[in-house]
Amino acid sequence: MTQPPQQPGWNGPQPGQQPHGWAGPGAPQQWGPPPQPPKKAGVGKILGLGCLGIIGLFVLIGIIAAVIGGGSSDDSGKDAPAAASSTPKGEPTKQAEKPAEAKKSQAQEFQACVAKKGTPTEQAAVKHVTKVTGADKRNDVLDAAEVYTDFSGGLMSKDAGQAKLIASAFTSCYQSDNGLVTVYGSDGDMMANANY
């Protein structure tokens, strides 16, 4: 009887040992390597959870910064009562003069500004302004002011040139890093716009 050729490094079963894969008489035979234990968490899972933790940290920092920054946005009104109480009783206060100025609408403030700084054609066009909104609230991030007029029609109307003069006059009176003024007609159609 001839023996099959041996593979290098294989010495065969040792005396008293059963050959690999032989479970004994009557047992099913298993051939091949023994089953591997289940794998542990991979590097990809660990990195993914770590990235989610970092993103969560940045979101938390942003929320905290918004809460802290939003709490102290207007300090101008806190000092006004102290200043009023420190003036002598016989002298008029500046606060008594301010309510008359505060009663001006945004449209009146805009018309007064154009009366000082504007050209004669801009001054004539601004007489058609009926309402201005958004000119008093500027944050230099995304400012949007709206000017309403008594003109009719839209971008291609006969009064569109006058609306462009109003938009131009608005840019002379108000400044913003990222502002847009839109001029509307009496029917609500947009007539002109400009960056200011």
Side-chain angles (χ1 to χ4, degrees), residues 105-111 114 122-133 146-151 162-163 165-167 169-170 183-184:
S105 69
Q106 292 181 40
Q108 291 170 338
E109 289 176 5
F110 174 49
Q111 289 170 339
V114 174
E122 289 175 340
Q123 292 171 359
V126 169
K127 290 179 181 177
H128 295 277
V129 171
T130 58
K131 180 180 175 183
V132 176
T133 62
E146 298 173 330
V147 178
Y148 296 92
T149 64
D150 59 3
F151 296 133
Q162 296 284 338
L165 282 172
I166 293 171
F170 192 90
V183 180
Y184 294 98

Side-chain angles (χ1 to χ4, degrees), residues 157-168:
S157 69
K158 64 179 175 122
D159 295 322
Q162 296 284 338
K164 289 178 185 177
L165 282 172
I166 293 171
S168 173

Side-chain angles (χ1 to χ4, degrees), residues 35-166:
Q36 298 289 327
K39 290 185 176 185
K40 295 182 180 180
V43 176
K45 271 188 179 178
I46 294 171
L47 285 176
L49 292 176
C51 290
L52 284 176
I54 291 172
I55 291 171
L57 179 67
F58 281 125
V59 169
L60 182 63
I61 290 171
I63 291 171
I64 291 171
V67 168
I68 291 172
S72 62
S73 64
D74 186 22
D75 294 334
S76 62
K78 294 179 182 176
D79 295 334
S85 63
S86 65
T87 58
K89 292 183 180 179
E91 296 179 23
T93 62
K94 290 184 180 179
Q95 287 184 348
E97 298 169 8
K98 286 186 179 179
E101 294 175 12
K103 290 182 182 178
K104 280 187 177 180
S105 69
Q106 292 181 40
Q108 291 170 338
E109 289 176 5
F110 174 49
Q111 289 170 339
C113 176
V114 174
K116 291 178 188 176
K117 296 181 180 181
T119 64
T121 54
E122 289 175 340
Q123 292 171 359
V126 169
K127 290 179 181 177
H128 295 277
V129 171
T130 58
K131 180 180 175 183
V132 176
T133 62
D136 59 342
K137 299 175 185 176
R138 290 189 303 273
N139 60 8
D140 290 334
V141 177
L142 181 60
D143 299 323
E146 298 173 330
V147 178
Y148 296 92
T149 64
D150 59 3
F151 296 133
S152 61
L155 291 170
M156 303 302 286
S157 69
K158 64 179 175 122
D159 295 322
Q162 296 284 338
K164 289 178 185 177
L165 282 172
I166 293 171

